[in-house]
Amino acid sequence: MILNTLETLFRPILEKYTDHPEKFFGMITRCNDPKFGDYQANFAMGLAKSLGKKPRDVAAELRDAVMENAVAREMFEKIDIAGPGFLNLTFSETWLKKMLLTAAADGRLGIPMAEKPQTIVLDYSSPNVAKPMHVGHIRSTVIGNSLYRILKFLGHRVIGDNHLGDWGTQFGMILWGWKHFRDEAAFAEKPVEELTRLYRLARQKMDENEAIADECRRETEKLHSGDAENRALWSRFMPFCLDEIDRVYRRLDVTFDETLGESFYNDRLPQVVEILQEKGLITESDGAKCVFLPGREAPMIVQKSDGAYLYATTDLATVMYRMEQFHPDAILYIVDHRQSEHFEMFFETARKLGYEQVDLRHVKFGTVLGEDRRPFKTRSGDTVGLEGLLDEAVERAKKILVENGTETDVDETASRIGIAALKYADLSQNRDSDYIFSYDKMLAMNGNTATYMQYAYARVCSIFTKANDGKRPECGPIDWTHPSERALAMELLRFDDALAAVVKDYRPNFLSNYLYDLANRYSVFFENCSVLRAESEEIRRSRLRLCDLTARTLQKGLELLGIQVVSRM
Ligand code: ARG
């Protein structure tokens, strides 16, 4: 609420000096030292240069101009000009209290719905099926799901689409394996395990023998071109593959509106190539149909000389379908950064096809590393299974709970804590960076972890049990006597700024960082101010309301990250 209001106030004033006021918004920051003020704006220095004026004079002009607005006069107790021309903003108690009451009285905690709701397709998780999900799938799944929740909460129309890799060369390998080495009994018992075994076996044989590699490729071709036997087998395998991933999604509390895998687009691929051809975008090279893009040596291949279509062809078909079906303003692809080049080329081609209005965005992320800083693998060099990771996280959470003497709901709580730890460890990272997977770190009770956040929430809630038998205080005015109360209040008013920061560049870590700051502000407040034994009944009531708003903000914020709270730990 704070940044948003400041931007609205300063926009018309900055517009008198510049065509791009938004460029100056980044210069509004919190004051490091509360003795100077609450927030600080450094517009004047940048503007002064181009105006040929003294920065302090420009600062004074800005201050006088903003203070003509009645909202500003209510919001600011004072605006000081400091140093070379900083505007130091101190908020008035009246404004802070009014905003706090607005937030507390609102089920949405004062977060407004988007003024211009957009339609946004989110392409996330999208694993290649018929193999168990592995550690590499965590990132797209949890980052995508958190963005899904946040955008939806802000009032956008969001379509979560799981673009399954259900049509790739892994099926040719499995089909080949099935035809030569299947174990029906094993399939009956654990179908995906058997398919995985066949996949690994085919992989190994292919690597040893070029002829087998050809046979596998032919199986894929036959599947794609409609061979009855291969299609039937595919249809027989798929439900098990879907069950397998659904089980993981249920545990992770992740959902989709659509699951339109690559197979869905098979019949549309010839048309993609035709359209590209009509637009004169195709060049033949060694029999393959290619799209050459300016400044790039390697082309994007859309059809191989043997007639096979590629990943890029499917992505083009997908964008066409999504535009037709959903008319989105943006399509976000939450995919590993190693696919950057693919997305750059595919977006460029899509624009050439006329999809210029839609914001096609690769929301990329780094790799999950093991403790040795190399891509996370098991001792034997295999990729690490996702379910095993979930099991282990839950198991370790349970151990911690038992050690701490927890007796009720141990399993349910352990499951919430373990899964939350895993998700939060991912979401709290800058998504561009690689990060090291560590159970000890993610389950630590201190630091920016889910465990700490859940504990902070449970601790706030425990006050209500002691104060009024678990009942939350009634909504009403919040007042303060100690600076740590005011600091907590101001932090609570930053919730929507944090959400705005997330959606600006699709970075959930801005939300987790905010929640961590909030939990810390709460700790300081709690150390300094007695809630249950407050100086007066009035102060006690006000502090309980502050606790309540903190609990609700933590809960909502964690929910938007896909994290469930626990009321006791
Ligand atoms: N299945 C792909 C993979 O596992 C990711 C798909 C991402 N989405 C897309 N539209 N290309 O690498």
Side-chain angles (χ1 to χ4, degrees):
M1 256 167 257
I2 296 178
L3 265 185
N4 193 1
T5 314
L6 291 175
E7 289 176 5
T8 315
L9 278 174
F10 278 104
R11 179 186 287 277
I13 293 162
L14 289 167
E15 270 168 357
K16 293 188 193 131
Y17 298 87
T18 164
D19 292 338
H20 300 287
E22 325 67 65
K23 285 200 183 145
F24 287 79
F25 290 163
M27 296 173 186
I28 308 177
T29 54
R30 278 191 287 173
C31 284
N32 288 330
D33 187 341
K35 85 169 174 268
F36 297 120
D38 295 317
Y39 272 61
Q40 183 179 70
N42 304 344
F43 310 134
M45 280 80 93
L47 289 173
K49 220 180 261 164
S50 52
L51 295 169
K53 290 187 184 173
K54 287 205 196 97
R56 283 186 71 101
D57 294 344
V58 177
E61 278 176 32
L62 294 170
R63 177 192 56 193
D64 296 346
V66 81
M67 280 306 212
E68 291 190 4
N69 188 323
V71 177
R73 287 197 298 277
E74 191 195 12
M75 181 177 194
F76 302 120
E77 182 188 304
K78 58 178 180 155
I79 300 181
D80 291 326
I81 296 168
F86 296 113
L87 293 173
N88 284 343
L89 316 169
T90 305
F91 303 137
S92 77
E93 307 290 292
T94 328
W95 183 79
L96 285 173
K97 285 171 193 168
K98 184 169 136 188
M99 298 316 276
L100 218 52
L101 190 58
T102 312
D106 180 7
R108 295 179 51 84
L109 299 162
I111 311 286
M113 300 285 262
E115 266 171 47
K116 293 186 201 126
Q118 299 211 310
T119 298
I120 302 172
V121 176
L122 243 70
D123 181 318
Y124 71 101
S125 197
S126 310
N128 294 335
V129 298
K131 308 182 258 184
M133 287 177 85
H134 58 79
V135 60
H137 294 121
I138 292 181
R139 302 215 74 185
S140 176
T141 309
V142 304
I143 295 173
N145 184 244
S146 159
L147 293 173
Y148 179 85
R149 289 166 185 261
I150 294 169
L151 289 165
K152 208 160 187 166
F153 178 63
L154 293 177
H156 298 290
R157 171 177 173 239
V158 197
I159 297 121
D161 185 7
N162 192 0
H163 185 71
L164 295 181
D166 59 358
W167 206 234
T169 49
Q170 81 269 30
F171 277 101
M173 292 155 70
I174 290 169
L175 287 164
W176 182 87
W178 180 264
K179 291 177 186 178
H180 295 85
F181 295 100
R182 70 174 171 271
D183 176 344
E184 296 261 11
F187 182 77
E189 190 142 336
K190 289 191 171 155
V192 176
E193 251 169 56
E194 172 61 4
L195 296 180
T196 310
R197 183 187 72 85
L198 293 173
Y199 168 78
R200 295 214 172 110
L201 193 70
R203 159 106 283 151
Q204 188 198 337
K205 304 255 178 208
M206 258 172 85
D207 290 345
E208 290 163 7
N209 186 336
E210 192 47 41
I212 294 182
D214 276 339
E215 286 177 31
C216 290
R217 270 193 287 276
R218 219 157 309 130
E219 296 297 348
T220 311
E221 270 165 44
K222 277 163 69 186
L223 171 68
H224 289 180
S225 58
D227 173 81
E229 185 190 7
N230 280 9
R231 285 281 172 102
L233 283 171
W234 181 86
S235 302
R236 184 170 165 204
F237 299 156
M238 271 312 282
F240 298 111
C241 302
L242 293 176
D243 275 355
E244 173 84 8
I245 58 173
D246 278 344
R247 201 173 56 234
V248 176
Y249 293 139
R250 269 197 302 280
R251 288 184 78 181
L252 288 174
D253 191 15
V254 164
T255 56
F256 304 90
D257 303 297
E258 304 281 351
T259 298
L260 299 173
E262 292 177 6
S263 62
F264 177 79
Y265 299 97
N266 183 59
D267 297 340
R268 297 165 188 260
L269 302 177
Q271 206 198 341
V272 171
V273 176
E274 258 167 51
I275 294 175
L276 288 167
Q277 208 123 32
E278 273 167 28
K279 297 239 173 193
L281 294 169
I282 298 273
T283 311
E284 294 230 3
S285 168
D286 291 332
K289 299 203 163 105
C290 303
V291 178
F292 279 90
L293 295 160
R296 283 180 199 277
E297 217 164 288
M300 191 175 82
I301 307 176
V302 291
Q303 190 172 20
K304 291 202 279 190
S305 54
D306 63 7
Y309 299 101
L310 292 102
Y311 188 48
T313 329
T314 308
D315 260 330
L316 286 167
T318 308
V319 93
M320 290 175 185
Y321 176 81
R322 287 174 178 163
M323 292 307 292
E324 227 171 80
Q325 194 72 14
F326 309 117
H327 308 287
D329 300 290
I331 307 179
L332 313 181
Y333 297 82
I334 326 303
V335 184
D336 195 304
H337 70 100
R338 281 168 292 195
Q339 295 193 26
S340 292
E341 201 178 16
H342 161 73
F343 282 105
E344 283 165 23
M345 294 175 86
F346 144 55
F347 291 168
E348 234 178 292
T349 309
R351 273 182 231 116
K352 282 183 190 289
L353 285 176
Y355 300 114
E356 279 163 333
Q357 298 305 318
V358 58
D359 180 9
L360 299 173
R361 196 83 78 96
H362 180 194
V363 178
K364 52 185 107 170
F365 52 79
T367 311
V368 183
L369 304 176
E371 307 255 17
D372 58 358
R373 301 188 158 272
R374 309 188 47 106
F376 196 23
K377 292 273 160 69
T378 61
R379 286 222 176 87
S380 59
D382 286 332
T383 48
V384 181
L386 185 47
E387 280 207 286
L389 290 182
L390 298 180
D391 291 341
E392 172 105 27
V394 172
E395 204 45 55
R396 288 186 188 224
K398 186 167 171 182
K399 212 167 135 223
I400 295 172
L401 284 171
V402 170
E403 274 166 12
N404 289 348
T406 310
E407 278 164 8
T408 38
D409 300 333
V410 179
D411 286 315
E412 169 64 19
T413 312
S415 157
R416 286 193 180 200
I417 293 178
I419 306 263
L422 203 108
K423 291 170 100 174
Y424 194 92
D426 198 304
L427 293 167
S428 58
Q429 303 292 324
N430 172 354
R431 62 172 164 76
D432 295 314
S433 324
D434 298 343
Y435 76 89
I436 295 175
F437 189 96
S438 154
Y439 288 114
D440 288 337
K441 273 203 201 123
M442 69 176 68
L443 285 160
M445 288 293 260
N446 288 309
N448 191 8
T449 65
T451 318
Y452 172 73
M453 298 303 306
Q454 287 171 318
Y455 174 67
Y457 173 81
R459 195 170 60 151
V460 185
C461 291
S462 69
I463 290 222
F464 307 126
T465 326
K466 289 180 202 140
N468 20 346
D469 292 338
K471 275 205 293 294
R472 292 296 183 86
E474 270 167 38
C475 185
I478 294 172
D479 207 341
W480 43 79
T481 52
H482 192 274
S484 65
E485 288 174 277
R486 188 178 183 279
L488 174 59
M490 212 161 60
E491 199 66 47
L492 286 164
L493 294 180
R494 286 183 57 233
F495 188 26
D496 76 329
D497 295 334
L499 295 177
V502 171
V503 298
K504 205 173 209 167
D505 195 26
Y506 308 112
R507 296 183 181 278
N509 64 317
F510 286 130
L511 177 55
S512 60
N513 288 347
Y514 163 72
L515 295 172
Y516 183 55
D517 285 350
L518 178 61
N520 284 331
R521 295 266 181 214
Y522 181 81
S523 286
V524 177
F525 153 78
F526 196 72
E527 275 159 30
N528 284 287
C529 303
S530 175
V531 178
L532 298 177
R533 278 185 298 278
E535 297 88 304
S536 73
E537 180 51 34
E538 227 178 7
I539 297 180
R540 181 176 191 265
R541 204 177 312 135
S542 166
R543 285 185 183 160
L544 278 170
R545 287 176 183 149
L546 211 45
C547 293
D548 179 55
L549 190 54
T550 306
R552 286 163 58 201
T553 307
L554 285 175
Q555 178 169 17
K556 187 77 210 173
L558 289 170
E559 181 196 311
L560 292 177
L561 292 172
I563 305 250
Q564 297 182 333
V565 293
V566 290
S567 48
R568 221 174 338 166
M569 259 170 108

